[in-house]
Amino acid sequence: MMIPDGIEDEEKWLAEGIAGIQHNAFYMHRALDANNLREVLKYSAQMLSELRTSKLSPHKYYELYMRAFDELRKLEMFFKDESRHGVSIVDLYELVQHAGNILPRLYLLCTVGSVYIKSKEAPAKDVLKDLVEMCLGVQHPIRGLFLRSYLAQISRDKLPDIGSEYKGDSDTVVDAVDFVLQNFVEMNKLWVRLKHQGPGRLREKLEKERSELRDLVGKNLHVLSQIEGVDLEMYKDTVLPRILEQIVNCKDDLAQYYLMDCIIQVFPDEYHLQTLETLLGACPLLQPTVDIKTVLSQLMDRLSNYAASSTDVLPEFLQVEAFAKLSSAIGRVIEAQVEMPIVGAITLYVSLLTFTLHVHPDRLDYVDQVLGAFVKKLSGKPKLEDSKAKKQVVALLSAPLEKYNDIVMALTLSNYPRVMDHLDNETNKVMAMVIIQSILKNTSCISTADQVEVLFELIKGLVKDLDGTDVEELDEEDFKEEQNSVARLIHMLYNDDPEEMLKIICAAKKNIMNGGPKRLPFTVPPLILSALGLIRRLQGQEGDLTGEEVPATPKNIFQILNQAIGTLTTVPSPELALRLYLECAEAANDCDLEPVAYEFFTQAFVLYEEEITDSKAQVTAIHLIIGTLQRMNVFGVENRDTLTHKATGYSAKLLKKPDQCRAVYACSHLFWVDDLDGIKDGERVLLCLKRALRIANAAQQMVNVTRGSSGPVTLFVEILNKYLYFFEKGNPQITSAAIQALIELITTEMKSDSTVPEAVSDPFFASTLRYIQFQKQKGGAMSEKYDSIKV
Amino acid sequence: MVPLFQSQENIIGEVLVEPTQGKKFEHNGVKIELLGQIELYFDRGNFYDFTSLVRELDVPGELYERKTYQFEFSTVEMPHESYNGINVRLRYILKVTIGRNYISNIVECQDFVVRNYTPSPSINNSIKMEVGIEDCLHIEFEYGKSKYHLKDVIIGKIYFLLVRIKIKNMELEIRRRESTGSGPNTYVETETLAKFELMDGAPVRGESIPIRLFLSPYELTPTYRNINNKFSVKYYLNLVFVDEEDRRYFKQQEITVYRLLES
């Protein structure tokens, strides 16, 4: 209950204070209207006495202060006009000092002092010096701060700066600087002292309140930065050392942090660059609790931006050896602040890295140095746990990628993988993804096997199971996305030179082979396809003399591929492996390597026999096999027979009749390749089709038995289409009579009562008939062929 | 309004005596006295004349009409200033007495004020002192001078060597100490003429607080030391610290106040 009461009371006290100010201001206005100096001084002093309260928090005190401030403006107008009060400014300056209470006295003195400087009856520097010294009388932190803030306010436009009308003969910029610095030092002392006010239990609240006052102090630095006469030399010799002296000596973390930040923000970057040593030298002297990393980061960010602003300034950076200085300062700070959490250190390295990327984009060694320093800091420590720290490391490692848009650059940094070693698995993966994304985004090619090795070292978190990965935790979708990215990455490994490309493929293969059953199905296919691409390229250079010594021959590559696909069968992922075998077989066909192609087909059939048990998968597989086999032209009669025999055999052994039927009629194409020198065995085509018809019949009957109605005639229509195809291609075994019979069969089937009208087969049949009609009427040789078919 | 003189001045004037219209006036002689008197209030009615000069203006005789007497006191020694204190008054009067037989004399008085000016003292040392309460408060203070004229400014500073108490504020007081009588019959009155706040809040070690106090707004007199063994008026600067529990700590220093002879 204590604190709510306190707040209520505070409201009351503020209201009372405001009422007091208004009351006295009223009489002061009357006196002002009457030009009665005596009364003016009396009531203004009484009004200002309200500011003597100790009961208000800084926030509320500020409200009160602003009320008084407004009134003081009116007072100043009055003082300025000697005709109204008849007293010379010199006498007025004395007169206001007769007030018994110090706070009203000094507010009045500052107000008159302002007029005094304007009157130019005394040098500005003398008046300012007097004011800033007299203000020493107010040692109460809040009251003192506001009083000095008032002084700063009224003096701002009256400093004897270069080009200022108040710069007299004897006044120099030094006087202006001295004045502001002195006021700054005193204000900071008061501000720091505020920390020790009040009981401990309210410490936190008080610190917050204190923080609200910081801008009063910081304003002085702003004023200093606005003084035109403060050139680099003066900043270097006077201003900065004195500010830093105060910052270091005040031994207060809040003030130190804030003021360091202030310096960095208010003074020009060029000055920072030229005084880097001094500024950085102060850092290790600050309190250990000061958030120095943020300060340094700010500084480096600013310098980075400065460097980015114009290339003209870059020589300056080199001239002052900015990188070396910052780098060593960071080292010292990290060393000095033993307590600093690792995330702090990382933040610093990130900033330094950003800096060097901006300022010295050509100095990769700097980047590596930064990473190296970071590795040193991490060495001997457990892997990073803190999520913020992890984020920062990702930022650290991403920065060079973003800057150079070139992963190859990162691959040359020896410390890059070392940093990654310190990441936990999860972050490692995140980083690996960043790297991959960067490569994909920039479509940068990884063109040497060495780079591939380094790259896979970097992304090993994605490529294989790391120790301690809890498989349970893996999110299926994330995993898929990761692996798809890796798959895409594999396509970015490329070199025009086949030798190197082969090395790349081998390196990639070596790395992905350890991926385990979950990853291989994602990573093997792109590898295979990439290798097949290489094979096709080699094939294009067939004319070249390729000696036996050269490893990059299709044959060699096929061996590698065979091995790679083999791993998939153990995964097991037989369907995928089968597809890949067929791909390879086809490639081998194109290379005219019969034994190789045969070997791949063998593997495919073995898989079909041993691994593919699901009937749907079998259907797909057999169609793939048939399709591929049909295109093969490398095989001699014997091999071909063996393979086609196998294919037709397996087709007829599928579980479902319709599947059997379709596979079998598909097999018919194996015996009729519509090429110039393709096989054209009309007999066996017909055999296949007839067999298909028998199976279709059987299927029809099975449906009849089980459901009491005829099944769809779709299969017949499909077979009819095959007949038509081969009929047109000129297979002598396919006669118009056979077609005619098939049409009639279908027509009969469709008319039979037991047949359920069917949505698919009816229009299919109808359009097939329409096609025949069309061919008949089209004219020419084809029409004659069709002539005998009646529809 | 009273006339103002200083020591060594000639006091010249005239006394006008006018009998009631058409009547003869008999007298035992006319005289004028210049008196410097000290009056102690607790000893009411007794005046100590430290100066007494007489001029006979007329021998015994008769007056028929108004008559004017010129008088002159040349280079009168008036070492003390007029003073109007709490327990004591120092005054100067011109007293005209017309003596008469059988009936009481006619006496008329005229006050005048004396002020004496002194040149700037050739020696005027600063007051500088280190004082303290052990382990609580140690300060060093300095007043620029020990002798001040009435329109002077006290310039000085207070330097804090050790601060262990929570000071709320610091004031400089000007105190006047008037002592009258002597021995067991000494009466002392102290008045605080000025209370001037020098500092608001608690300083820390190493702070130096300026003093600038204009004396002109206060009604001071010069310092009077042992005037005719009857009284003294002395001035003190009293430096007062008030802590947060309103306890007061102070250190008092005498200063000499003088009336400056404008050159």
Side-chain angles (χ1 to χ4, degrees), chain A residues 15-124:
Chain A
E16 279 175 11
I18 290 173
I21 286 181
Q22 285 170 339
H23 175 83
N24 287 301
F26 172 79
Y27 287 103
M28 185 184 89
H29 294 163
R30 280 228 305 224
L32 287 173
D33 291 343
N35 292 334
N36 184 336
L37 179 63
R38 239 182 108 82
E39 294 279 292
V40 165
L41 291 179
K42 177 180 156 190
Y43 286 111
S44 57
Q46 279 181 19
M47 174 186 82
L48 290 164
S49 286
E50 296 295 339
L51 292 177
R52 298 175 72 208
T53 179
S54 299
K55 292 172 175 169
L56 298 178
S57 66
H59 195 70
K60 298 271 186 269
Y61 191 86
Y62 175 74
E63 261 184 67
L64 201 61
Y65 164 83
M66 284 315 292
R67 302 271 179 155
F69 182 83
D70 292 342
E71 298 300 337
L72 286 172
R73 298 271 63 77
K74 295 170 196 157
L75 196 59
E76 190 182 340
M77 298 292 291
F78 172 72
F79 287 153
K80 214 180 283 178
D81 190 351
E82 194 182 319
S83 70
R84 284 176 68 185
H85 50 73
V87 177
S88 75
I89 187 66
V90 184
D91 290 343
L92 203 53
Y93 195 71
E94 181 192 320
L95 203 53
V96 292
Q97 294 187 65
H98 295 173
N101 283 320
I102 184 158
L103 196 68
R105 179 165 76 235
L106 291 177
Y107 272 105
L108 289 174
L109 191 66
C110 290
T111 311
V112 176
S114 163
V115 179
Y116 200 0
I117 297 172
K118 264 194 194 151
S119 78
K120 295 180 191 157
E121 294 202 15

Side-chain angles (χ1 to χ4, degrees), chain A residues 102 105 130 139 143 193, chain B residues 196-198 200 207 212:
Chain A
I102 184 158
R105 179 165 76 235
D130 191 48
Q139 293 285 320
R143 293 195 284 273
R193 210 182 291 168
Chain B
F196 189 77
E197 193 181 21
L198 290 178
D200 171 24
E207 291 291 355
R212 184 187 295 158

Side-chain angles (χ1 to χ4, degrees), chain A residues 120-132:
Chain A
K120 295 180 191 157
E121 294 202 15
K125 67 162 183 179
D126 291 349
V127 180
L128 291 173
K129 190 168 169 52
D130 191 48
L131 293 174
V132 79

